[in-house]
Amino acid sequence: MWPISLVALLPLAASALAFPSPGNCEHKVKEELGAPPRGWAIHSPAPADHFIQLRIALPQPNFRVLEEHLYAVSDPEHERYGQHLSKEEVEELVAPHSESVDAVNEWLASHGIQEDIGRSPAGDWLTIRIPLSKAEEMLNTKYHVWQHTDGDYLVRTTSYSLPAAVYDHVELIQPTTLFGRFKPQKSSIKSISKVQSAQNSPAIGDMATGATVDASCNTTVTITCLRQIYNAVGYTPSAHVGNSIGITGYLEEYANRADLQQFYVDQVPAAAAVNSTFKFISVNGGIDPQNLSLAGGEANLDTQFAFGLSFPVPSTFYSTAGEPPFIPDEGTPTDTNEPYAQWLEFVLSHPSPPLVISTSYADGEQTVPESYARRACAGFAQLGARGVTLTSSSGDGGVGDGDPDPATQECITNDGTNRTQFLVGFPASCPFITAVGGTELFPETAVAFSGGGFSQLFPRPSYQDAAVKGFLDTLPNGTYAGLFNPNGRAFPDVSAQSVNFRVFVGGEAFLIGGTSASAPAFAGFVALLNDARLKAGKPSLGFLNPLLYSKAASGFNDITTGNNPGCGTQGFNATKGWDAVTGLGTPDFGKLVKLVV
């Protein structure tokens, strides 16, 4: 392992940590929304005895050093490529200054909070569970029950403050101003009255790639189809080289083992023969019900295709509790609707997380406070530095607001200015995630709902400068001026098939589509690439993007037809090279495995 030389840390100016009585503390506004996000309105006062779990982020003063290490171990041209950091090394790099720890401890103690404080392994996150009345006192704010136009409820505030003595020692506190609506990126689900076999159908070819595919793949996508389309027929991974793959599950979406077995019988007979299944891990009280009536379409889609493609690679399904959540007339005792943050903290504490993990859930970027988005993105960087690849759906609204129907998209900013703007999703907009867009049919074309565009929060990372500038140069001057940020992190990075995946749910077959299909499928192929590297005595791929935009770019099928309409426009066009519809294109496993091993 390459030794870490931490930069010399300049001590913070000493500050008095003796807090006056809570009622006499002078507060400064830490975060404030100019207006509530669109669609949200105050429903009622929040009950004072309602309990809330506050997560307090302490600054990570040495994060830039971690980022430097991340790019060094992820750049295939760097001498340290693949020399991932250990869990302990990463934690050392994100640990807060002792002055911050002392200041926050003193502040909590001044409010009588000295026990039952949850602390992350690095000490950069603290968790406390307190009644709202105490939270309002500590943060000099007022919480309300907010209701969205579609019926969701949240307990939130539009601003909060901190005492001057602790102000610079806290990066953010949530849930406060986070009005995100974490949802699966699933555009469609169709019932199948009779499951048809995908085998022995006439073949069709693609002159550009030379691939030959069963014609049935244009109506029903199976494991066989994906292996044919992406040139992985005949590749056999191992169960014994230290490889692993994981899927995240949220919002009471449960993966069903009986459905998985039925899927394996139908599409992966070798897995069915040994009764293969996944390891279950509960996060924050997540449960594992196996009643077929509770089988989740999203969870089954993700697990069946990611694990089916990568079998027999050891697989894990994470069930994270936290259904959005607050129902005023039921008196929910705790507001637990930040499951993604709960999962991220848990997996960072895990000594050996899966080497590739796929997520098919997202928020609108503009609904996530900048401080929260940046801190979560920093968490993804920590996993990347440890050798974990993260894939995420790019979204199902084209350039729009997440609604796959362009006719019903509003595409209006929620900052109070009510401007029309292309709206992107998070976490796909984080530069440390590999965002996966969607294609359909064979030969492949971009699917209309493929989420793509440019972040308003994160600047464009250097690894994609050349590719994205090349795309922007193809746009006529003035194209969509003011509707997107040409200097923002651009996505998707890559794409894969995303329509008519044959999935078993509750004992029946369905066709499910969305970038929630393409992300786990792409993750399955990453697991195969990791298998090849591990067999060759090399480390896992880890954070993929610097590799994708350089050495591995030639291992993708360039998609040059289709577009992603939204916001009353035709969106962007798929074109030669990287584009904001399909990214670099879809994987050619046969080429990629030669490039990465």
Side-chain angles (χ1 to χ4, degrees):
M1 176 65 66
W2 187 274
I4 295 179
S5 293
L6 300 184
V7 296
L9 302 179
L10 296 176
L12 296 178
S15 59
L17 299 183
F19 278 80
S21 63
N24 296 327
C25 286
E26 178 185 350
H27 283 68
K28 296 169 59 179
V29 174
K30 185 67 176 180
E31 195 160 16
E32 184 172 22
L33 300 180
R38 287 178 61 83
W40 290 100
I42 290 177
H43 172 269
S44 60
D49 59 353
H50 171 78
F51 272 78
I52 192 166
Q53 185 169 278
L54 289 182
R55 293 168 48 79
I56 304 168
L58 278 59
Q60 300 169 329
N62 218 24
F63 176 77
R64 288 191 179 277
V65 180
L66 171 73
E67 194 173 11
E68 291 173 3
H69 286 289
L70 171 64
Y71 279 112
V73 302
S74 305
D75 179 355
E77 301 303 321
H78 199 284
E79 62 180 353
R80 290 180 55 206
Y81 179 62
Q83 298 179 26
H84 303 125
L85 307 188
S86 69
K87 174 177 179 288
E88 292 73 21
E89 287 170 329
V90 168
E91 288 169 356
E92 179 183 352
L93 287 165
V94 299
H97 282 314
S98 60
E99 290 89 342
S100 294
V101 176
D102 292 343
V104 173
N105 284 343
E106 189 78 12
W107 173 55
L108 294 177
S110 74
H111 287 276
I113 303 170
Q114 295 176 285
E115 299 179 353
D116 297 324
I117 301 173
R119 300 179 188 272
S120 65
D124 55 336
W125 281 100
L126 306 183
T127 305
I128 58 174
R129 183 176 181 271
I130 55 177
L132 271 184
S133 57
K134 174 64 71 174
E136 291 176 339
E137 173 188 296
M138 294 174 64
L139 304 180
N140 193 31
T141 190
K142 179 65 179 174
Y143 279 85
H144 289 87
V145 177
W146 294 77
Q147 183 179 14
H148 195 268
T149 51
D150 74 355
D152 284 351
Y153 293 92
L154 292 175
V155 176
R156 292 292 185 269
T157 181
T158 55
S159 79
Y160 67 96
S161 302
L162 293 172
V166 77
Y167 187 91
D168 291 330
H169 298 288
V170 170
E171 190 169 310
L172 64 101
I173 298 178
Q174 292 290 353
T176 48
T177 58
L178 174 59
F179 283 78
R181 304 178 65 233
F182 198 52
K183 301 290 184 184
Q185 301 297 291
K186 185 172 58 188
S187 68
S188 64
I189 181 167
K190 305 173 187 175
S191 178
I192 306 174
S193 58
K194 184 178 181 180
V195 177
Q196 301 292 328
S197 172
Q199 309 300 318
N200 304 318
S201 300
I204 52 177
D206 182 350
M207 295 180 61
T209 66
T212 300
V213 175
D214 293 344
S216 62
C217 298
N218 272 334
T219 57
T220 302
V221 173
T222 64
I223 295 294
T224 297
C225 290
L226 292 175
R227 283 183 169 265
Q228 289 178 350
I229 294 170
Y230 299 133
N231 192 20
V233 174
Y235 184 85
T236 303
S238 171
H240 308 293
V241 292
N243 201 4
S244 52
I245 184 171
I247 291 292
T248 61
Y250 304 96
L251 311 181
E252 299 183 354
E253 278 277 345
Y254 307 120
N256 187 273
R257 293 180 180 82
D259 282 334
L260 180 64
Q261 291 307 311
Q262 193 171 357
F263 175 84
Y264 282 161
V265 168
D266 185 64
Q267 299 187 33
V268 193
V274 295
N275 201 33
S276 178
T277 191
F278 52 81
K279 177 182 179 181
F280 171 82
I281 294 182
S282 170
V283 180
N284 194 38
I287 60 176
D288 185 27
Q290 290 301 305
N291 187 320
L292 282 175
S293 65
L294 296 177
E298 182 62 57
N300 278 5
L301 163 65
D302 292 352
T303 54
Q304 288 172 20
F305 274 87
F307 302 161
L309 279 166
S310 59
F311 171 80
V313 173
S315 55
T316 298
F317 177 72
Y318 294 93
S319 178
T320 302
E323 170 74 11
F326 184 75
I327 303 173
D329 57 5
E330 291 187 2
T332 307
T334 305
D335 189 19
T336 56
N337 62 333
E338 291 187 87
Y340 199 67
Q342 297 279 0
W343 175 82
L344 183 54
E345 181 176 325
F346 175 88
V347 78
L348 284 170
S349 72
H350 198 290
S352 301
L355 296 180
V356 57
I357 304 173
S358 185
T359 294
S360 295
Y361 301 75
D363 276 330
E365 186 185 69
Q366 70 165 352
T367 71
V368 181
E370 180 174 353
S371 60
Y372 183 90
R374 292 191 183 282
R375 187 58 179 253
C377 194
F380 306 144
Q382 294 175 54
L383 287 170
R386 290 172 57 184
V388 176
T389 299
L390 298 173
T391 65
S392 175
S393 306
S394 73
D396 289 351
V399 295
D401 60 4
D403 188 332
D405 182 359
T408 57
Q409 292 178 351
E410 290 188 315
C411 303
I412 303 296
T413 60
N414 65 5
D415 58 3
T417 63
N418 294 325
R419 291 173 290 116
T420 299
Q421 190 175 81
F422 291 168
L423 300 178
V424 302
F426 179 83
S429 65
C430 169
F432 305 123
I433 289 274
T434 298
V436 186
T439 61
E440 63 177 336
L441 305 176
F442 186 83
E444 291 184 275
T445 186
V447 71
F449 58 69
S450 183
F454 300 80
S455 172
Q456 295 291 334
L457 290 181
F458 299 101
R460 184 170 63 236
S462 60
Y463 61 72
Q464 63 174 190
D465 262 344
V468 175
K469 287 178 180 177
F471 170 73
L472 293 173
D473 287 345
T474 69
L475 300 179
N477 288 337
T479 300
Y480 303 143
L483 294 181
F484 71 97
N485 172 23
N487 299 311
R489 183 288 204 253
F491 72 97
D493 299 297
V494 295
S495 287
Q497 288 276 318
S498 61
V499 176
N500 291 338
F501 278 47
R502 190 165 68 190
V503 180
F504 287 84
V505 184
E508 297 183 22
F510 294 88
L511 296 182
I512 301 180
T515 54
S516 60
S518 54
F522 186 81
F525 285 104
V526 175
L528 298 184
L529 294 173
N530 276 337
D531 174 81
R533 284 181 60 83
L534 293 167
K535 286 175 178 174
K538 297 183 178 182
S540 62
L541 288 167
F543 174 40
L544 276 182
N545 294 4
L547 170 70
L548 298 181
Y549 286 89
S550 58
K551 181 179 178 180
S554 61
F556 285 83
N557 306 312
D558 197 4
I559 308 302
T560 59
T561 60
N563 61 301
N564 55 353
C567 305
T569 76
Q570 291 302 303
F572 297 108
N573 290 323
T575 187
K576 185 177 180 179
W578 183 91
D579 56 68
V581 191
T582 61
L584 295 166
T586 59
D588 183 320
F589 177 79
K591 291 181 179 179
L592 285 170
V593 75
K594 294 176 181 177
L595 291 168
V596 304
V597 174

